[in-house]
Amino acid sequence: MNSVPPFIPEHPLIERSDQFDQLAIIGVSARTAGRRLRDTLFVEEPDYSSILSKLKINGKQSVVLIATCERFDFVLGRIENDDIDFYQNIISQEANVDLETLQKQSYQHTGFDALRHLFAVGASLDSLIVGEPQILGQVKECHRVSKSLGLTDSFLDSVFDASLVSAKRVRTETTIAQQPISLASSALQVARGIHGDLARCTVALIGSGEVGELLCQEFKSVGIGNLAITHPKIGRSQTASFRLGGEVCPWDQLDDLISRSDIVLSAHGGGDPVLTTLNVGAALRKRKRKPVFFIDTTAARDIALDVNNLDGAYSYNLEDLESVAKQGKVHREAAMMAAWKVLGDEMQAFIRAKAERQAVPAIAVIRKHFEALRSQALLETGENADTATRLLINRLLHNPQVVLKEIAREDPEGHVQLEQLLYRVFGIETALLDSGREDKGSTERCELQENDGKED
């Protein structure tokens, strides 16, 4: 369902920023993980306390853990030599897989790529369902928890703040946020076409996942009759039941659940189909061919393709639902392009602002120096404005004159570049430069003023 993001040109400022070079992300997502990782790692409510405590014990700083039901990312404000192995080991332990297996399914981003990844995650452009609404709040909460434990610093905080601002712009200025709404509306439209009044229908959620739960919430909002939830791990079913309501059904009773359900939302994502012509066919015979609406919400196929050939089985995946929506593929691609453009603009604005703030300390030092010279000039001239300003100009220009002469002797080419930089800093116009060159007495006056500055 995701589109390849358009190329966003690297901003030249980032190449000159050691701070941005240190930004890194080490993680794994539902799009890169295999069946075992998806089934053990992506839980709705990970054990933050134990993981973050482990980071503090090991002296880790400038880090945020983003853990949702489809990603497990460590965002680092600065990366150390052993960080990749350290964080990959944590993920492999949480997933209960060996490190080599984890490394083949994980990713590492640094610098600009890390910044783009984080911005895309917050804006839901890297989600299984582009535009899904929960991720923005999840990223914000993950940042808050890490910050409350003292694991972040001002740089990492500013990166997350900028990503959240960018995500809000994407949601308000593009139609990306309409994508999951369109899918839910399409699902309701098809369900009503098959069953009519949904108040008499039983909905089954198989597995867990944000999209499956989103559709469950939509069906509940229109007043379905019953909701049943099943998962290979009973604890996951109970957690989903707590959030959504509905009964918990043991996994070994899956076939019976299918036979008594009118709408089946599959969100298992285990890699192999859990709904086949064998168990679905048996369920349909038991229902006396009363139809069932199946929705596969996973990137991997939970529902075998030939299920749709069975009489009474109406099997849809997310692309099918999207085609039902009035928004076509062209519209979705345009929305994606618009969203990525917003992200590109926000990233460049953020990088530029961070670079500009690096000049603030130097400006403060120069201002303090100028103020000291001004106060001294006023004191020595009895606050005579005309005499004091001339004296101040001489003293401000004295050291630049000395340095320019030294550089002109030692490095003529560097002298020309420095001159151009000074003209740019002080906003000197070309016409003024030409006028200064035509004034044959300017050199002598500069020498005199230089000496005045020394004597004063």
Side-chain angles (χ1 to χ4, degrees), residues 70-101:
E70 64 176 47
R71 73 178 55 258
F72 202 96
D73 286 353
F74 287 105
V75 184
L76 314 179
R78 55 180 181 272
I79 189 169
E80 307 292 343
N81 292 332
D82 65 336
D83 276 346
I84 293 178
D85 290 340
F86 176 81
Y87 289 110
Q88 284 185 338
N89 269 301
I90 291 181
I91 300 173
S92 67
Q93 291 166 13
E94 289 296 313
N96 194 28
V97 299
D98 61 87
L99 182 59
E100 184 179 357
T101 299

Side-chain angles (χ1 to χ4, degrees), residues 1-2 70 127-130 132 179-187 190 209-216 219 264-267 293-303 305 315-325 327 332:
M1 296 296 293
N2 281 4
E70 64 176 47
S127 299
L128 289 176
I129 297 301
V130 173
E132 60 93 1
Q179 179 71 5
I181 296 172
S182 297
L183 291 173
S185 299
S186 298
V190 175
E210 291 176 356
V211 181
E213 294 194 8
L214 174 67
L215 292 178
C216 272
F219 278 110
V264 176
L265 308 174
S266 188
F293 177 29
F294 296 95
I295 305 176
D296 193 340
T297 70
T298 64
R301 286 197 176 275
D302 272 358
I303 305 174
L305 288 173
S315 179
Y316 282 62
N317 59 26
L318 296 177
E319 290 183 355
D320 295 328
L321 292 179
E322 187 178 354
S323 68
V324 174
Q327 300 177 49
R332 178 168 63 88

Side-chain angles (χ1 to χ4, degrees), residues 41-72:
L41 186 60
F42 299 129
V43 295
E44 181 70 19
E45 298 173 358
D47 189 358
Y48 274 107
S49 58
S50 64
I51 299 172
L52 297 183
S53 294
K54 187 180 297 185
L55 302 186
K56 290 183 71 70
I57 291 172
N58 283 272
K60 297 299 182 181
Q61 297 178 332
S62 192
V63 56
V64 171
L65 168 62
I66 301 177
T68 72
C69 68
E70 64 176 47
R71 73 178 55 258
F72 202 96

Side-chain angles (χ1 to χ4, degrees), residues 44-303:
E44 181 70 19
E45 298 173 358
D47 189 358
Y48 274 107
S49 58
S50 64
I51 299 172
L52 297 183
S53 294
K54 187 180 297 185
L55 302 186
K56 290 183 71 70
I57 291 172
N58 283 272
K60 297 299 182 181
Q61 297 178 332
S62 192
V63 56
V64 171
L65 168 62
I66 301 177
T68 72
C69 68
E70 64 176 47
R71 73 178 55 258
F72 202 96
D73 286 353
F74 287 105
V75 184
L76 314 179
R78 55 180 181 272
I79 189 169
E80 307 292 343
N81 292 332
D82 65 336
D83 276 346
I84 293 178
D85 290 340
F86 176 81
Y87 289 110
Q88 284 185 338
N89 269 301
I90 291 181
I91 300 173
S92 67
Q93 291 166 13
E94 289 296 313
N96 194 28
V97 299
D98 61 87
L99 182 59
E100 184 179 357
T101 299
L102 183 278
Q103 288 173 335
K104 293 177 181 178
Q105 301 173 57
S106 64
Y107 44 77
Q108 301 140 38
H109 303 301
T110 58
F112 180 86
D113 290 335
L115 187 68
R116 178 168 60 180
H117 179 89
L118 180 60
F119 273 49
V121 168
S124 189
L125 295 181
D126 194 57
S127 299
L128 289 176
I129 297 301
V130 173
E132 60 93 1
Q134 293 95 337
I135 187 64
L136 180 59
Q138 290 170 339
V139 171
K140 187 174 182 179
E141 177 63 14
C142 290
H143 175 225
R144 185 196 67 77
V145 172
S146 293
K147 184 177 181 179
S148 69
L149 294 175
L151 288 169
T152 67
D153 55 22
S154 59
F155 171 66
L156 194 56
D157 289 340
S158 69
V159 170
F160 268 85
D161 289 344
S163 73
L164 295 174
V165 169
S166 176
K168 290 176 181 176
R169 273 198 62 194
V170 168
R171 297 192 70 80
T172 56
E173 297 179 21
T174 75
T175 59
I176 283 296
Q178 296 177 14
Q179 179 71 5
I181 296 172
S182 297
L183 291 173
S185 299
S186 298
L188 291 174
Q189 177 183 335
V190 175
R192 288 191 176 105
I194 296 171
H195 295 296
D197 185 6
L198 300 183
R200 298 190 297 269
C201 290
T202 293
V203 175
L205 174 63
I206 300 175
S208 64
E210 291 176 356
V211 181
E213 294 194 8
L214 174 67
L215 292 178
C216 272
Q217 290 169 346
E218 289 298 316
F219 278 110
K220 288 199 68 177
S221 69
V222 298
I224 58 169
N226 298 290
L227 172 63
I229 303 170
T230 188
H231 192 282
K233 294 184 177 180
I234 190 68
R236 299 275 288 274
S237 300
Q238 292 170 338
T239 301
S241 176
F242 177 77
R243 288 192 300 271
L244 300 169
E247 64 173 302
V248 173
C249 178
W251 184 254
D252 59 11
Q253 297 179 19
L254 175 61
D255 291 350
D256 178 67
L257 176 61
I258 299 171
S259 68
R260 59 188 177 90
S261 299
D262 304 291
I263 300 167
V264 176
L265 308 174
S266 188
H268 180 243
D272 296 323
V274 293
L275 299 172
T276 66
T277 54
L278 188 62
N279 58 1
V280 172
L284 288 171
R285 287 191 295 272
K286 194 173 180 178
R287 289 172 60 86
K288 296 182 175 12
R289 303 294 176 182
K290 183 180 178 183
V292 180
F293 177 29
F294 296 95
I295 305 176
D296 193 340
T297 70
T298 64
R301 286 197 176 275
D302 272 358
I303 305 174

